[in-house]
Amino acid sequence: MQKPFSRTKIRGFTLLELLVVMVILGLLAGYVAPKFFAHIGKAEVKTTQAQIDGLEKALDAYRLDVGSYPSSEAGLVALTQRPAGETRWNGPYLKKAVPNDPWGHPYQYKQPGEHGEFDLFSFGKDGQPGGTGEAEDLGNW
């Protein structure tokens, strides 16, 4: 016995229905993505400020032991490695190597500083002096 031919249709989505769904998903992504990435930028700025604060504390501990902040030539490396000829160094003052800022650029250190005894800063996202928004320079001043 053969089964009789069935005339039931298999229903699926039409091209128009699929396009409407794609447009809705695109609109949602266009609305959510900028808000999401704005939060990432704010987190990088807060991370930079926290790292600068931690490095400042390490520099203060260095100064308590040695009597002065490291020179610009010695730089932040003096927090993890004894500078040549420094007998009162009691470090390391950091558990790990000096980190780069969240954008992968090294922190800048000047002693004496223009804003205080020393300047410790990041050039921001663009890695260049000046800028606004995420590219703004962030420092200990």
Side-chain angles (χ1 to χ4, degrees):
M1 291 208 28
Q2 292 184 353
K3 288 186 175 180
F5 182 70
S6 175
R7 291 191 171 234
T8 59
K9 288 186 175 181
I10 300 174
R11 293 213 23 121
F13 294 106
T14 66
L15 182 60
L16 183 60
E17 290 171 329
L18 290 174
L19 287 174
V20 168
V21 169
M22 296 287 281
V23 166
I24 291 171
L25 288 174
L27 290 171
L28 285 173
Y31 177 74
V32 171
K35 294 191 180 293
F36 175 74
F37 289 114
H39 287 294
I40 290 175
K42 289 178 186 175
E44 289 171 333
V45 168
K46 287 183 180 183
T47 300
T48 302
Q49 291 168 337
Q51 286 179 334
I52 286 174
D53 185 53
L55 291 170
E56 271 188 297
K57 287 179 171 73
L59 286 164
D60 288 339
Y62 178 98
R63 181 176 157 237
L64 288 173
D65 287 346
V66 175
S68 65
Y69 290 108
S71 66
S72 293
E73 294 77 30
L76 296 174
V77 175
L79 298 174
T80 56
Q81 299 174 8
R82 180 188 304 269
E86 189 54 65
T87 57
R88 299 188 320 184
W89 189 83
N90 195 26
Y93 299 96
L94 295 174
K95 291 181 181 180
K96 298 178 182 178
V98 177
N100 286 335
D101 67 16
W103 301 282
H105 308 294
Y107 283 101
Q108 305 299 310
Y109 173 75
K110 292 181 184 176
Q111 197 282 327
E114 297 172 13
H115 303 277
E117 292 186 69
F118 65 89
D119 289 347
L120 178 62
F121 57 97
S122 165
F123 285 132
K125 186 175 184 174
D126 64 353
Q128 302 295 322
T132 58
E134 290 179 34
E136 182 178 8
D137 297 350
L138 302 166
N140 66 332
W141 52 86

